[in-house]
Amino acid sequence: MAVHAEGEGGAGSAATRRDLAVRAAVEQGLVGGGDGAEPLACLLDVAGIRASAAALTGAFAAALAPGTPVLHAFAVKAAPLVPVLRLLADAGLGCEVASPGELALARAAGVPAGRTVLDSPAKTVAELREALALGIAVNADNPQELERLDALVGRAPTPTTAPIGLRINPQTGAGAIDALSTATATSKFGIALRDPGARAWLVRAYRDRPWLTRLHIHSGSQGVPLALIAEGVRDLHALAEEINAAAGRRQVDTLDIGGGLPVNFASDAETPTHAQYVAALREAVPALFDGSYGLVTEFGRSLLAKHGLILARVEYTKTSGSRPIALTHAGVQLATRTAYAPAAWPVRILPYDAKGAPKTGDPVAQDVAGPACFAGDLLAAARELPRLAPGDLIGVPDTGAYFFTAHYGYNSLPRPPVHGFTVGPEGQVRFRLARPAQDISAIVAEAGGDHGDALL
């Protein structure tokens, strides 16, 4: 079933809704103890997602000149779930896709082609042809891709309605996480703006192609400060002005400024906010908001992260070298980046008892481990928590983007169910299944089960 919203705003804060949902998940048998009970479930707060979407659209609407065209396209990679895309579409958002699979998800969610943007550094000719035929906006990554578009646009039986632009890399520098920094001097993304001759080449490319009407950048991500993101957007705007001056007309009419607003994983506080991001942009490049250009954004993590919760049963506890260890069903398959890069991606652990009530007690340093067969499958090491016991539950908040939504198939661990929840005015919790648990037979099928004799 799709995620539906009802009773939104009930039961107070996001943290209160979360605790009510945990208790209700146990009471309603979605997760918990006992033979045959689900050991793992993932929850999405529908009201929280809607609130984030409203905060994004409201922040830009308050700053933009009246009548400025704007598309907020959700980065599908952050939460590739059709019900999530439908929910965000209902809240006024489109989709940014970076693969045929993501495009298929957006279309399955009913997102119109005119509210879809295709970004990828390795688009095939078939992908480009399909996007142009459908009227999906395309941001080309490099000169070779532009040559492919030259051929496709020139051979099309009718002019394409797809807006087309180029992605630039402003080379403004890295944030705190190198692997996620897209605007470094040697980034694989876009056309490096500060390389010798690049700026002049870009101006010529636009002058020679009247159908190039957009410019794209994505300078933000987790670990990148707002000022650095804004610097990249300022460079994008300056390039658009230079191209239009050289063309003698308003050829570039839309700026796709990407997304990448960082998320606070240290507490329940939502910071930085979309309003703070808009304020940083207004300070760095005030002309961005004067109505001269339409805008596209591509936020993902900042819309979903704070509204997801992993809920896992503690199966066993033990000690090793005098270190208490809680063995749970949540690990690398859900929190992949945390397992492989714990310093860059630490997560909070919320302890609950077997009935779903917040667990109290004297804190004890203990490891919280996942089910996978490698030593680094840890959600937390030496974390101070009330001592966990078999049958307890752990909650891992802030996991609504890039965690359980994008499963990693280590040890052929099955994808867990994902439930959207809403809380009514009296605290009643209603769940809707957004993604069912993966059946073991589906794992066998994915592993070539129907082709068992193929290599004999």
PDB file of all heavy atoms in Angstrom, residues 94-131:
ATOM      1  N   GLY A  94       8.877  17.176  -7.543  1.00  0.00           N
ATOM      2  CA  GLY A  94       9.147  16.279  -8.642  1.00  0.00           C
ATOM      3  C   GLY A  94      10.254  15.314  -8.267  1.00  0.00           C
ATOM      4  O   GLY A  94      10.501  15.058  -7.090  1.00  0.00           O
ATOM      5  N   CYS A  95      10.951  14.777  -9.273  1.00  0.00           N
ATOM      6  CA  CYS A  95      11.993  13.784  -9.033  1.00  0.00           C
ATOM      7  C   CYS A  95      13.254  14.106  -9.838  1.00  0.00           C
ATOM      8  O   CYS A  95      13.169  14.484 -11.008  1.00  0.00           O
ATOM      9  CB  CYS A  95      11.518  12.387  -9.438  1.00  0.00           C
ATOM     10  SG  CYS A  95      10.414  11.607  -8.245  1.00  0.00           S
ATOM     11  N   GLU A  96      14.396  13.919  -9.208  1.00  0.00           N
ATOM     12  CA  GLU A  96      15.689  13.924  -9.887  1.00  0.00           C
ATOM     13  C   GLU A  96      16.159  12.477  -9.924  1.00  0.00           C
ATOM     14  O   GLU A  96      16.235  11.814  -8.881  1.00  0.00           O
ATOM     15  CB  GLU A  96      16.694  14.799  -9.135  1.00  0.00           C
ATOM     16  CG  GLU A  96      18.061  14.885  -9.801  1.00  0.00           C
ATOM     17  CD  GLU A  96      19.051  13.874  -9.266  1.00  0.00           C
ATOM     18  OE1 GLU A  96      18.870  13.366  -8.143  1.00  0.00           O
ATOM     19  OE2 GLU A  96      20.034  13.568  -9.972  1.00  0.00           O
ATOM     20  N   VAL A  97      16.441  11.971 -11.132  1.00  0.00           N
ATOM     21  CA  VAL A  97      16.798  10.569 -11.298  1.00  0.00           C
ATOM     22  C   VAL A  97      18.184  10.466 -11.912  1.00  0.00           C
ATOM     23  O   VAL A  97      18.619  11.348 -12.650  1.00  0.00           O
ATOM     24  CB  VAL A  97      15.762   9.820 -12.163  1.00  0.00           C
ATOM     25  CG1 VAL A  97      14.379   9.915 -11.530  1.00  0.00           C
ATOM     26  CG2 VAL A  97      15.716  10.369 -13.592  1.00  0.00           C
ATOM     27  N   ALA A  98      18.868   9.351 -11.611  1.00  0.00           N
ATOM     28  CA  ALA A  98      20.240   9.194 -12.102  1.00  0.00           C
ATOM     29  C   ALA A  98      20.484   7.797 -12.644  1.00  0.00           C
ATOM     30  O   ALA A  98      21.630   7.345 -12.691  1.00  0.00           O
ATOM     31  CB  ALA A  98      21.231   9.515 -10.987  1.00  0.00           C
ATOM     32  N   SER A  99      19.423   7.112 -13.067  1.00  0.00           N
ATOM     33  CA  SER A  99      19.564   5.781 -13.644  1.00  0.00           C
ATOM     34  C   SER A  99      18.235   5.381 -14.258  1.00  0.00           C
ATOM     35  O   SER A  99      17.189   5.954 -13.921  1.00  0.00           O
ATOM     36  CB  SER A  99      19.955   4.758 -12.569  1.00  0.00           C
ATOM     37  OG  SER A  99      18.840   4.496 -11.716  1.00  0.00           O
ATOM     38  N   PRO A 100      18.227   4.365 -15.149  1.00  0.00           N
ATOM     39  CA  PRO A 100      16.954   3.871 -15.669  1.00  0.00           C
ATOM     40  C   PRO A 100      16.030   3.357 -14.561  1.00  0.00           C
ATOM     41  O   PRO A 100      14.810   3.529 -14.636  1.00  0.00           O
ATOM     42  CB  PRO A 100      17.381   2.747 -16.617  1.00  0.00           C
ATOM     43  CG  PRO A 100      18.766   3.103 -17.036  1.00  0.00           C
ATOM     44  CD  PRO A 100      19.382   3.742 -15.827  1.00  0.00           C
ATOM     45  N   GLY A 101      16.612   2.737 -13.542  1.00  0.00           N
ATOM     46  CA  GLY A 101      15.795   2.252 -12.441  1.00  0.00           C
ATOM     47  C   GLY A 101      15.096   3.366 -11.691  1.00  0.00           C
ATOM     48  O   GLY A 101      13.907   3.272 -11.368  1.00  0.00           O
ATOM     49  N   GLU A 102      15.840   4.440 -11.416  1.00  0.00           N
ATOM     50  CA  GLU A 102      15.225   5.564 -10.715  1.00  0.00           C
ATOM     51  C   GLU A 102      14.162   6.241 -11.566  1.00  0.00           C
ATOM     52  O   GLU A 102      13.122   6.673 -11.047  1.00  0.00           O
ATOM     53  CB  GLU A 102      16.306   6.565 -10.287  1.00  0.00           C
ATOM     54  CG  GLU A 102      17.194   6.042  -9.175  1.00  0.00           C
ATOM     55  CD  GLU A 102      18.228   7.034  -8.689  1.00  0.00           C
ATOM     56  OE1 GLU A 102      18.290   8.165  -9.230  1.00  0.00           O
ATOM     57  OE2 GLU A 102      18.981   6.690  -7.771  1.00  0.00           O
ATOM     58  N   LEU A 103      14.396   6.322 -12.868  1.00  0.00           N
ATOM     59  CA  LEU A 103      13.377   6.884 -13.745  1.00  0.00           C
ATOM     60  C   LEU A 103      12.125   6.015 -13.720  1.00  0.00           C
ATOM     61  O   LEU A 103      10.998   6.533 -13.676  1.00  0.00           O
ATOM     62  CB  LEU A 103      13.907   7.004 -15.166  1.00  0.00           C
ATOM     63  CG  LEU A 103      12.904   7.479 -16.230  1.00  0.00           C
ATOM     64  CD1 LEU A 103      12.293   8.827 -15.855  1.00  0.00           C
ATOM     65  CD2 LEU A 103      13.571   7.563 -17.592  1.00  0.00           C
ATOM     66  N   ALA A 104      12.304   4.701 -13.721  1.00  0.00           N
ATOM     67  CA  ALA A 104      11.152   3.804 -13.660  1.00  0.00           C
ATOM     68  C   ALA A 104      10.378   3.990 -12.361  1.00  0.00           C
ATOM     69  O   ALA A 104       9.141   3.949 -12.350  1.00  0.00           O
ATOM     70  CB  ALA A 104      11.614   2.352 -13.810  1.00  0.00           C
ATOM     71  N   LEU A 105      11.072   4.212 -11.265  1.00  0.00           N
ATOM     72  CA  LEU A 105      10.393   4.447  -9.979  1.00  0.00           C
ATOM     73  C   LEU A 105       9.597   5.748 -10.023  1.00  0.00           C
ATOM     74  O   LEU A 105       8.459   5.802  -9.545  1.00  0.00           O
ATOM     75  CB  LEU A 105      11.414   4.494  -8.848  1.00  0.00           C
ATOM     76  CG  LEU A 105      12.186   3.205  -8.553  1.00  0.00           C
ATOM     77  CD1 LEU A 105      13.175   3.434  -7.409  1.00  0.00           C
ATOM     78  CD2 LEU A 105      11.247   2.063  -8.213  1.00  0.00           C
ATOM     79  N   ALA A 106      10.200   6.793 -10.585  1.00  0.00           N
ATOM     80  CA  ALA A 106       9.493   8.073 -10.676  1.00  0.00           C
ATOM     81  C   ALA A 106       8.238   7.939 -11.528  1.00  0.00           C
ATOM     82  O   ALA A 106       7.167   8.461 -11.183  1.00  0.00           O
ATOM     83  CB  ALA A 106      10.422   9.146 -11.252  1.00  0.00           C
ATOM     84  N   ARG A 107       8.352   7.225 -12.631  1.00  0.00           N
ATOM     85  CA  ARG A 107       7.189   7.041 -13.493  1.00  0.00           C
ATOM     86  C   ARG A 107       6.132   6.179 -12.807  1.00  0.00           C
ATOM     87  O   ARG A 107       4.929   6.439 -12.930  1.00  0.00           O
ATOM     88  CB  ARG A 107       7.622   6.421 -14.824  1.00  0.00           C
ATOM     89  CG  ARG A 107       8.588   7.313 -15.613  1.00  0.00           C
ATOM     90  CD  ARG A 107       8.866   6.774 -16.986  1.00  0.00           C
ATOM     91  NE  ARG A 107       7.686   6.942 -17.854  1.00  0.00           N
ATOM     92  CZ  ARG A 107       7.634   6.500 -19.103  1.00  0.00           C
ATOM     93  NH1 ARG A 107       8.671   5.850 -19.627  1.00  0.00           N
ATOM     94  NH2 ARG A 107       6.550   6.700 -19.829  1.00  0.00           N
ATOM     95  N   ALA A 108       6.574   5.157 -12.071  1.00  0.00           N
ATOM     96  CA  ALA A 108       5.621   4.323 -11.334  1.00  0.00           C
ATOM     97  C   ALA A 108       4.888   5.133 -10.275  1.00  0.00           C
ATOM     98  O   ALA A 108       3.741   4.827  -9.933  1.00  0.00           O
ATOM     99  CB  ALA A 108       6.349   3.142 -10.685  1.00  0.00           C
ATOM    100  N   ALA A 109       5.540   6.153  -9.746  1.00  0.00           N
ATOM    101  CA  ALA A 109       4.916   7.021  -8.745  1.00  0.00           C
ATOM    102  C   ALA A 109       4.011   8.066  -9.376  1.00  0.00           C
ATOM    103  O   ALA A 109       3.386   8.858  -8.668  1.00  0.00           O
ATOM    104  CB  ALA A 109       5.994   7.703  -7.911  1.00  0.00           C
ATOM    105  N   GLY A 110       3.962   8.101 -10.710  1.00  0.00           N
ATOM    106  CA  GLY A 110       3.090   9.048 -11.391  1.00  0.00           C
ATOM    107  C   GLY A 110       3.662  10.434 -11.536  1.00  0.00           C
ATOM    108  O   GLY A 110       2.924  11.388 -11.818  1.00  0.00           O
ATOM    109  N   VAL A 111       4.975  10.588 -11.365  1.00  0.00           N
ATOM    110  CA  VAL A 111       5.597  11.913 -11.501  1.00  0.00           C
ATOM    111  C   VAL A 111       5.694  12.246 -12.988  1.00  0.00           C
ATOM    112  O   VAL A 111       6.281  11.483 -13.763  1.00  0.00           O
ATOM    113  CB  VAL A 111       6.988  11.930 -10.849  1.00  0.00           C
ATOM    114  CG1 VAL A 111       7.666  13.286 -11.048  1.00  0.00           C
ATOM    115  CG2 VAL A 111       6.876  11.601  -9.357  1.00  0.00           C
ATOM    116  N   PRO A 112       5.149  13.366 -13.432  1.00  0.00           N
ATOM    117  CA  PRO A 112       5.168  13.707 -14.859  1.00  0.00           C
ATOM    118  C   PRO A 112       6.585  13.940 -15.376  1.00  0.00           C
ATOM    119  O   PRO A 112       7.489  14.331 -14.625  1.00  0.00           O
ATOM    120  CB  PRO A 112       4.347  15.004 -14.932  1.00  0.00           C
ATOM    121  CG  PRO A 112       3.571  15.062 -13.656  1.00  0.00           C
ATOM    122  CD  PRO A 112       4.406  14.362 -12.627  1.00  0.00           C
ATOM    123  N   ALA A 113       6.762  13.695 -16.673  1.00  0.00           N
ATOM    124  CA  ALA A 113       8.069  13.925 -17.292  1.00  0.00           C
ATOM    125  C   ALA A 113       8.524  15.364 -17.106  1.00  0.00           C
ATOM    126  O   ALA A 113       9.714  15.635 -16.882  1.00  0.00           O
ATOM    127  CB  ALA A 113       8.006  13.581 -18.779  1.00  0.00           C
ATOM    128  N   GLY A 114       7.593  16.310 -17.167  1.00  0.00           N
ATOM    129  CA  GLY A 114       7.945  17.712 -17.020  1.00  0.00           C
ATOM    130  C   GLY A 114       8.387  18.101 -15.628  1.00  0.00           C
ATOM    131  O   GLY A 114       8.872  19.221 -15.423  1.00  0.00           O
ATOM    132  N   ARG A 115       8.244  17.194 -14.673  1.00  0.00           N
ATOM    133  CA  ARG A 115       8.690  17.437 -13.292  1.00  0.00           C
ATOM    134  C   ARG A 115       9.800  16.457 -12.911  1.00  0.00           C
ATOM    135  O   ARG A 115       9.993  16.137 -11.743  1.00  0.00           O
ATOM    136  CB  ARG A 115       7.512  17.359 -12.322  1.00  0.00           C
ATOM    137  CG  ARG A 115       6.441  18.412 -12.612  1.00  0.00           C
ATOM    138  CD  ARG A 115       5.337  18.405 -11.566  1.00  0.00           C
ATOM    139  NE  ARG A 115       5.827  18.768 -10.236  1.00  0.00           N
ATOM    140  CZ  ARG A 115       6.098  20.004  -9.839  1.00  0.00           C
ATOM    141  NH1 ARG A 115       5.970  21.023 -10.681  1.00  0.00           N
ATOM    142  NH2 ARG A 115       6.510  20.245  -8.619  1.00  0.00           N
ATOM    143  N   THR A 116      10.508  15.973 -13.934  1.00  0.00           N
ATOM    144  CA  THR A 116      11.583  15.001 -13.741  1.00  0.00           C
ATOM    145  C   THR A 116      12.857  15.529 -14.372  1.00  0.00           C
ATOM    146  O   THR A 116      12.826  16.100 -15.458  1.00  0.00           O
ATOM    147  CB  THR A 116      11.201  13.647 -14.368  1.00  0.00           C
ATOM    148  OG1 THR A 116       9.957  13.202 -13.841  1.00  0.00           O
ATOM    149  CG2 THR A 116      12.265  12.597 -14.090  1.00  0.00           C
ATOM    150  N   VAL A 117      13.973  15.313 -13.691  1.00  0.00           N
ATOM    151  CA  VAL A 117      15.289  15.743 -14.164  1.00  0.00           C
ATOM    152  C   VAL A 117      16.204  14.535 -14.183  1.00  0.00           C
ATOM    153  O   VAL A 117      16.261  13.778 -13.204  1.00  0.00           O
ATOM    154  CB  VAL A 117      15.888  16.832 -13.250  1.00  0.00           C
ATOM    155  CG1 VAL A 117      17.258  17.274 -13.753  1.00  0.00           C
ATOM    156  CG2 VAL A 117      14.951  18.033 -13.130  1.00  0.00           C
ATOM    157  N   LEU A 118      16.932  14.334 -15.292  1.00  0.00           N
ATOM    158  CA  LEU A 118      17.869  13.216 -15.419  1.00  0.00           C
ATOM    159  C   LEU A 118      19.296  13.709 -15.250  1.00  0.00           C
ATOM    160  O   LEU A 118      19.785  14.524 -16.032  1.00  0.00           O
ATOM    161  CB  LEU A 118      17.702  12.541 -16.779  1.00  0.00           C
ATOM    162  CG  LEU A 118      18.721  11.439 -17.119  1.00  0.00           C
ATOM    163  CD1 LEU A 118      18.621  10.282 -16.133  1.00  0.00           C
ATOM    164  CD2 LEU A 118      18.522  10.943 -18.554  1.00  0.00           C
ATOM    165  N   ASP A 119      19.963  13.211 -14.223  1.00  0.00           N
ATOM    166  CA  ASP A 119      21.380  13.489 -13.977  1.00  0.00           C
ATOM    167  C   ASP A 119      22.103  12.155 -13.842  1.00  0.00           C
ATOM    168  O   ASP A 119      21.628  11.260 -13.150  1.00  0.00           O
ATOM    169  CB  ASP A 119      21.587  14.263 -12.669  1.00  0.00           C
ATOM    170  CG  ASP A 119      20.993  15.651 -12.699  1.00  0.00           C
ATOM    171  OD1 ASP A 119      21.070  16.306 -13.745  1.00  0.00           O
ATOM    172  OD2 ASP A 119      20.441  16.076 -11.669  1.00  0.00           O
ATOM    173  N   SER A 120      23.239  12.033 -14.453  1.00  0.00           N
ATOM    174  CA  SER A 120      24.086  10.852 -14.312  1.00  0.00           C
ATOM    175  C   SER A 120      25.367  11.130 -15.068  1.00  0.00           C
ATOM    176  O   SER A 120      25.330  11.742 -16.135  1.00  0.00           O
ATOM    177  CB  SER A 120      23.407   9.613 -14.894  1.00  0.00           C
ATOM    178  OG  SER A 120      24.342   8.552 -15.070  1.00  0.00           O
ATOM    179  N   PRO A 121      26.510  10.690 -14.556  1.00  0.00           N
ATOM    180  CA  PRO A 121      27.753  10.908 -15.304  1.00  0.00           C
ATOM    181  C   PRO A 121      27.986   9.875 -16.390  1.00  0.00           C
ATOM    182  O   PRO A 121      28.979   9.967 -17.111  1.00  0.00           O
ATOM    183  CB  PRO A 121      28.818  10.799 -14.202  1.00  0.00           C
ATOM    184  CG  PRO A 121      28.222   9.852 -13.219  1.00  0.00           C
ATOM    185  CD  PRO A 121      26.752  10.130 -13.222  1.00  0.00           C
ATOM    186  N   ALA A 122      27.100   8.895 -16.550  1.00  0.00           N
ATOM    187  CA  ALA A 122      27.350   7.819 -17.513  1.00  0.00           C
ATOM    188  C   ALA A 122      26.070   7.413 -18.239  1.00  0.00           C
ATOM    189  O   ALA A 122      25.732   6.239 -18.318  1.00  0.00           O
ATOM    190  CB  ALA A 122      27.961   6.610 -16.808  1.00  0.00           C
ATOM    191  N   LYS A 123      25.354   8.388 -18.757  1.00  0.00           N
ATOM    192  CA  LYS A 123      24.114   8.093 -19.477  1.00  0.00           C
ATOM    193  C   LYS A 123      24.436   7.401 -20.806  1.00  0.00           C
ATOM    194  O   LYS A 123      25.327   7.823 -21.543  1.00  0.00           O
ATOM    195  CB  LYS A 123      23.338   9.375 -19.764  1.00  0.00           C
ATOM    196  CG  LYS A 123      23.042  10.243 -18.553  1.00  0.00           C
ATOM    197  CD  LYS A 123      22.291  11.497 -18.981  1.00  0.00           C
ATOM    198  CE  LYS A 123      22.309  12.571 -17.923  1.00  0.00           C
ATOM    199  NZ  LYS A 123      23.641  13.214 -17.779  1.00  0.00           N
ATOM    200  N   THR A 124      23.656   6.382 -21.134  1.00  0.00           N
ATOM    201  CA  THR A 124      23.805   5.729 -22.422  1.00  0.00           C
ATOM    202  C   THR A 124      23.025   6.505 -23.489  1.00  0.00           C
ATOM    203  O   THR A 124      22.175   7.342 -23.172  1.00  0.00           O
ATOM    204  CB  THR A 124      23.280   4.294 -22.372  1.00  0.00           C
ATOM    205  OG1 THR A 124      21.858   4.327 -22.142  1.00  0.00           O
ATOM    206  CG2 THR A 124      23.958   3.503 -21.253  1.00  0.00           C
ATOM    207  N   VAL A 125      23.290   6.164 -24.747  1.00  0.00           N
ATOM    208  CA  VAL A 125      22.528   6.779 -25.837  1.00  0.00           C
ATOM    209  C   VAL A 125      21.046   6.458 -25.681  1.00  0.00           C
ATOM    210  O   VAL A 125      20.185   7.315 -25.892  1.00  0.00           O
ATOM    211  CB  VAL A 125      23.049   6.296 -27.201  1.00  0.00           C
ATOM    212  CG1 VAL A 125      22.128   6.748 -28.322  1.00  0.00           C
ATOM    213  CG2 VAL A 125      24.465   6.799 -27.438  1.00  0.00           C
ATOM    214  N   ALA A 126      20.740   5.221 -25.278  1.00  0.00           N
ATOM    215  CA  ALA A 126      19.336   4.830 -25.101  1.00  0.00           C
ATOM    216  C   ALA A 126      18.659   5.662 -24.016  1.00  0.00           C
ATOM    217  O   ALA A 126      17.499   6.073 -24.162  1.00  0.00           O
ATOM    218  CB  ALA A 126      19.247   3.347 -24.769  1.00  0.00           C
ATOM    219  N   GLU A 127      19.365   5.916 -22.906  1.00  0.00           N
ATOM    220  CA  GLU A 127      18.793   6.738 -21.838  1.00  0.00           C
ATOM    221  C   GLU A 127      18.533   8.163 -22.324  1.00  0.00           C
ATOM    222  O   GLU A 127      17.489   8.752 -22.027  1.00  0.00           O
ATOM    223  CB  GLU A 127      19.741   6.766 -20.635  1.00  0.00           C
ATOM    224  CG  GLU A 127      19.842   5.461 -19.872  1.00  0.00           C
ATOM    225  CD  GLU A 127      20.919   5.538 -18.808  1.00  0.00           C
ATOM    226  OE1 GLU A 127      20.808   6.406 -17.913  1.00  0.00           O
ATOM    227  OE2 GLU A 127      21.881   4.749 -18.871  1.00  0.00           O
ATOM    228  N   LEU A 128      19.486   8.711 -23.056  1.00  0.00           N
ATOM    229  CA  LEU A 128      19.314  10.070 -23.563  1.00  0.00           C
ATOM    230  C   LEU A 128      18.153  10.135 -24.552  1.00  0.00           C
ATOM    231  O   LEU A 128      17.329  11.061 -24.498  1.00  0.00           O
ATOM    232  CB  LEU A 128      20.603  10.544 -24.233  1.00  0.00           C
ATOM    233  CG  LEU A 128      21.803  10.770 -23.308  1.00  0.00           C
ATOM    234  CD1 LEU A 128      23.067  10.995 -24.125  1.00  0.00           C
ATOM    235  CD2 LEU A 128      21.550  11.941 -22.373  1.00  0.00           C
ATOM    236  N   ARG A 129      18.083   9.152 -25.422  1.00  0.00           N
ATOM    237  CA  ARG A 129      17.007   9.151 -26.413  1.00  0.00           C
ATOM    238  C   ARG A 129      15.641   9.080 -25.725  1.00  0.00           C
ATOM    239  O   ARG A 129      14.700   9.788 -26.111  1.00  0.00           O
ATOM    240  CB  ARG A 129      17.186   7.973 -27.366  1.00  0.00           C
ATOM    241  CG  ARG A 129      16.171   7.952 -28.508  1.00  0.00           C
ATOM    242  CD  ARG A 129      16.359   6.750 -29.418  1.00  0.00           C
ATOM    243  NE  ARG A 129      17.625   6.831 -30.155  1.00  0.00           N
ATOM    244  CZ  ARG A 129      18.652   5.994 -29.967  1.00  0.00           C
ATOM    245  NH1 ARG A 129      18.565   5.030 -29.060  1.00  0.00           N
ATOM    246  NH2 ARG A 129      19.754   6.130 -30.673  1.00  0.00           N
ATOM    247  N   GLU A 130      15.529   8.226 -24.715  1.00  0.00           N
ATOM    248  CA  GLU A 130      14.256   8.100 -24.005  1.00  0.00           C
ATOM    249  C   GLU A 130      13.882   9.406 -23.307  1.00  0.00           C
ATOM    250  O   GLU A 130      12.729   9.844 -23.365  1.00  0.00           O
ATOM    251  CB  GLU A 130      14.326   6.971 -22.971  1.00  0.00           C
ATOM    252  CG  GLU A 130      13.037   6.785 -22.188  1.00  0.00           C
ATOM    253  CD  GLU A 130      13.147   5.733 -21.100  1.00  0.00           C
ATOM    254  OE1 GLU A 130      14.269   5.476 -20.615  1.00  0.00           O
ATOM    255  OE2 GLU A 130      12.099   5.183 -20.705  1.00  0.00           O
ATOM    256  N   ALA A 131      14.862  10.037 -22.653  1.00  0.00           N
ATOM    257  CA  ALA A 131      14.585  11.287 -21.950  1.00  0.00           C
ATOM    258  C   ALA A 131      14.105  12.365 -22.907  1.00  0.00           C
ATOM    259  O   ALA A 131      13.143  13.096 -22.628  1.00  0.00           O
ATOM    260  CB  ALA A 131      15.826  11.753 -21.191  1.00  0.00           C
TER     261      ALA A 131
END
